[in-house]
Amino acid sequence: MSKAKKAAKSAAIIMFFTLASKFLGFLREVLIAKKFGSGWETDTYFIAMTATTMIMTMVGTAINTTVIPLFSEIEVKHGKERKIDYMNNILNVVFFIAIIIMILGWIFSPAIIKVVARGFEGKQFDLAVKLNRIGIPIVLFMGMTYIFKGFLESSESFTAPAAMSLPFNLIYIGFLLALASKYGIVGLMVSSVVAALSQVLIQIPSAKRLGYKYRFKIDLKDRYLRKALALTIPVLIGSAINELNVIVDKSLASGLTKGSISALTYASRINSIVLGVFVMAIATVIFPMLSKASNEENMESLKEIMSYGINIVLIVTIPATIGLIVLAEPFVRIFFQRGAFDSTATLMTSQAVIFYSIGMVGMALKIMLNRVFYSLQDTRTPMINGAIAVGINIGLNLILVRFMAHRGLALATSISAIFTTLLLINSLRKKLGNIDIKNYLSCFIKSIIASIIMGVIVYAIYSGLSPILGVKKILDLIAFLLSVGIGSVIYFGLCYLFKIEEINFIMDRLKLKLKLK
């Protein structure tokens, strides 16, 4: 249980900072919605951001998922100095790769926008190209951010990587409150660049405390650099495939009713609150532990850590799924509907939230399972699984968009996530042998029963309170928060009664602390 306690403590730190960051990020989205609405300008901004970041998101994801196991391996086998030496080598290599990507991105910006948003024409197309070029430096800052993040997390230093979104969001919010009216959507892209730089700067002091010192070094013959390349290529291909999926989604949405891209973007970010605050926190903490267990060839320890992580993910995401489905419309209306974000935008966004939520458990488990494969230095299996996911998603997109418009795009993503997560579980079972499926099924069934009961009660409470308290925003918010609060207590109480091991462990620890006081 010592590993579980260590993971829980580290995850709590990450959750605290991530929750604060998500709150600020949510406020950022609310302010963007208020200032710019859900119309053609916001559609253009989101498309330009996608075009700006899609390549480095692929590279960054590949870097972050491969350097942690390699950093762990280097430290175990060669010591800390060799690890720092490798850090400088990979940092410099990525710097020059990012510069090349930036130059190519600037030159081919019009072609990129044509691919990403086939429905954009005239003034909207020109604005998208302009915003894309302004945002080009984000590519460099993202690359550096991911490397520092991997270095810190491999040393189980999670505070700075978790806190880096605080200045990121504060810069956005400062612009939206003070300067948005003057500088408009172009200024918003400039603030995006400054925000991206802040994520690098906040991590440097923590890296220095761990002994990091920068020196210029490029050694293309470094065997760990070659190993990183070998591991990165499948992840890069997998990320490219996922980005292709984003391009197809946004390209199809660009030909639908005005505001469809924005509705999907806002809905995706609402779902990502749960994935970002809880699931990524758990995965981030567990990944270095999995990598260490794998490098020490301790498969029993790896399975124990994996079991803890998967069950916690189920306990968190199942009630979140039910809660978002039940309260999607009031959630969007209370937090987003103001200024240029009208009732039509609320309806479109809440519909997308519901259909994205259906696949939340699959998306969350996929994050965790991919980390298990990466810790085993198997990047090929997630790549193949990602390719299957995108193939299914694109096929379903083309079918469902005809009948369900933007809702069909969200539903296609969910169905694809669920199906390919089941395939990933099967692949992991073949790789590791017995992975105690019965334990996971027991946790899943108990959590879903508790969540359904909670969902019915939450819906009844909100439906009952809402007419009594009236239509004022603050009273509606009170009804919403009260419903969620009561629902949370009911859910965790039922989980305790159902004897879900992870919940019982937490409750027993709380009881012990209360007795000691």
Side-chain angles (χ1 to χ4, degrees):
M1 274 298 181
S2 60
K3 286 176 184 174
K5 284 191 280 185
K6 187 178 179 182
K9 185 177 179 181
S10 298
I13 292 168
I14 294 174
M15 284 179 194
F16 171 78
F17 282 109
T18 309
L19 193 60
S21 298
K22 286 291 178 182
F23 172 76
L24 291 174
F26 189 70
L27 178 59
R28 178 195 73 207
E29 297 303 320
V30 169
L31 288 171
I32 291 173
K34 183 182 178 182
K35 294 289 183 182
F36 302 105
S38 185
W40 75 273
E41 275 198 327
T42 43
D43 281 359
T44 308
Y45 169 76
F46 289 132
I47 282 289
M49 278 296 289
T50 300
T52 300
T53 61
M54 65 179 176
I55 295 174
M56 211 58 209
T57 298
M58 294 185 290
V59 174
T61 302
I63 290 168
N64 197 233
T65 51
T66 55
V67 295
I68 290 176
L70 288 178
F71 276 139
S72 297
E73 182 182 339
I74 291 166
E75 191 164 15
V76 167
K77 293 181 179 178
H78 305 287
K80 193 173 181 179
E81 286 302 315
R82 178 70 176 88
K83 178 180 175 180
I84 292 169
D85 189 58
Y86 175 70
M87 164 75 171
N88 280 316
N89 194 20
I90 197 167
L91 187 68
N92 290 320
V93 169
V94 169
F95 175 86
F96 284 106
I97 290 171
I99 294 295
I100 293 167
I101 292 170
M102 287 168 62
I103 293 167
L104 293 173
W106 177 277
I107 294 167
F108 295 106
S109 183
I112 293 167
I113 296 298
K114 281 180 182 177
V115 172
V116 176
R118 63 183 176 86
F120 283 9
E121 296 175 347
K123 186 168 71 170
Q124 189 173 27
F125 175 81
D126 292 339
L127 178 60
V129 172
K130 182 179 179 180
L131 293 178
N132 178 228
R133 284 175 167 165
I134 291 170
I136 284 288
I138 294 173
V139 168
L140 174 61
F141 302 143
M142 283 179 69
M144 296 175 71
T145 295
Y146 280 113
I147 294 170
F148 275 105
K149 186 172 182 283
F151 176 78
L152 292 170
E153 289 177 355
S154 70
S155 303
E156 297 187 21
S157 174
F158 301 107
T159 304
M164 68 183 183
S165 290
L166 293 176
F168 178 86
N169 285 311
L170 286 170
I171 288 165
Y172 266 107
I173 290 166
F175 168 79
L176 289 163
L177 289 174
L179 302 169
S181 299
K182 184 176 180 180
Y183 295 103
I185 207 78
V186 172
L188 183 62
M189 183 59 83
V190 173
S191 72
S192 303
V193 175
V194 178
L197 173 61
S198 73
Q199 292 188 300
V200 182
L201 298 178
I202 195 174
Q203 294 187 89
I204 293 173
S206 294
K208 284 185 174 180
R209 281 194 291 271
L210 288 171
Y212 172 71
K213 289 182 181 178
Y214 175 77
R215 74 183 183 90
F216 183 80
K217 177 190 177 178
I218 294 181
D219 180 9
L220 299 178
K221 293 181 180 179
D222 184 343
R223 73 184 186 91
Y224 283 107
L225 190 64
R226 293 199 302 268
K227 191 172 184 179
L229 183 63
L231 290 172
T232 297
I233 288 171
V235 182
L236 194 56
I237 293 169
S239 298
I241 292 166
N242 287 332
E243 288 301 317
L244 174 63
N245 187 51
V246 173
I247 290 168
V248 171
D249 276 5
K250 299 232 168 132
S251 184
L252 289 171
S254 70
L256 297 174
T257 305
K258 183 184 73 174
S260 293
I261 294 173
S262 298
L264 287 169
T265 302
Y266 290 130
S268 178
R269 289 180 181 176
I270 289 168
N271 276 267
S272 75
I273 291 172
V274 176
L275 296 176
V277 173
F278 300 104
V279 179
M280 285 306 298
I282 297 159
T284 298
V285 169
I286 282 177
F287 189 24
M289 295 179 179
L290 290 168
S291 297
K292 187 178 179 183
S294 177
N295 283 318
E296 293 172 350
E297 297 183 358
N298 188 344
M299 291 301 106
E300 287 307 311
S301 176
L302 185 142
K303 288 179 184 178
E304 181 189 340
I305 296 164
M306 180 182 75
S307 176
Y308 176 80
I310 288 174
N311 282 347
I312 290 292
V313 165
L314 291 172
I315 290 164
V316 169
T317 54
I318 292 172
T321 297
I322 301 297
L324 280 173
I325 289 171
V326 169
L327 296 176
E329 191 277 333
F331 186 97
V332 176
R333 174 167 40 80
I334 291 167
F335 292 105
F336 281 89
Q337 190 173 310
R338 56 182 54 79
F341 197 99
D342 58 17
S343 58
T344 301
T346 293
L347 177 62
M348 291 177 69
T349 303
S350 60
Q351 288 171 341
V353 167
I354 291 169
F355 287 105
Y356 273 134
S357 297
I358 292 168
M360 184 184 289
V361 175
M363 294 172 199
L365 287 177
K366 204 165 188 177
I367 291 168
M368 182 61 65
L369 294 171
N370 280 342
R371 293 299 191 279
V372 178
F373 281 103
Y374 295 145
S375 71
L376 296 166
Q377 297 190 16
D378 176 1
T379 54
R380 185 171 173 271
T381 302
M383 177 195 73
I384 294 169
N385 187 269
I388 294 168
V390 170
I392 294 169
N393 200 9
I394 290 173
L396 289 171
N397 274 343
L398 295 171
I399 295 167
L400 296 176
V401 74
R402 297 178 183 179
F403 308 103
M404 299 174 65
H406 73 290
R407 294 165 296 177
L409 300 177
L411 180 59
T413 300
S414 292
I415 294 170
S416 173
I418 293 166
F419 181 75
T420 50
T421 296
L422 293 174
L423 291 180
L424 211 55
I425 291 169
N426 188 53
S427 298
L428 194 61
R429 185 182 59 79
K430 289 177 181 177
K431 194 174 188 72
L432 294 179
N434 178 34
I435 57 171
D436 200 6
I437 293 291
K438 286 183 180 178
N439 175 40
Y440 301 140
L441 279 174
S442 173
C443 182
F444 177 82
I445 292 166
K446 289 175 182 178
S447 295
I448 205 163
I449 291 169
S451 296
I452 290 169
I453 294 169
M454 174 209 72
V456 171
I457 294 171
V458 165
Y459 181 78
I461 292 170
Y462 180 77
S463 299
L465 285 175
S466 190
I468 295 169
L469 294 177
V471 295
K472 285 188 177 179
K473 272 275 201 254
I474 187 66
L475 297 177
D476 202 9
L477 176 62
I478 290 168
F480 179 86
L481 294 176
L482 193 60
S483 304
V484 171
I486 294 170
S488 300
V489 172
I490 290 167
Y491 172 73
F492 285 106
L494 288 169
C495 286
Y496 185 69
L497 289 174
F498 292 162
K499 299 188 184 302
I500 295 177
E501 185 181 342
E502 286 74 15
I503 295 296
N504 281 36
F505 171 70
I506 293 167
M507 294 299 291
D508 290 343
R509 293 285 301 173
L510 287 172
K511 284 181 184 177
L512 182 63
K513 284 187 177 181
L514 289 171
K515 283 180 182 178
L516 289 173
K517 287 181 181 180

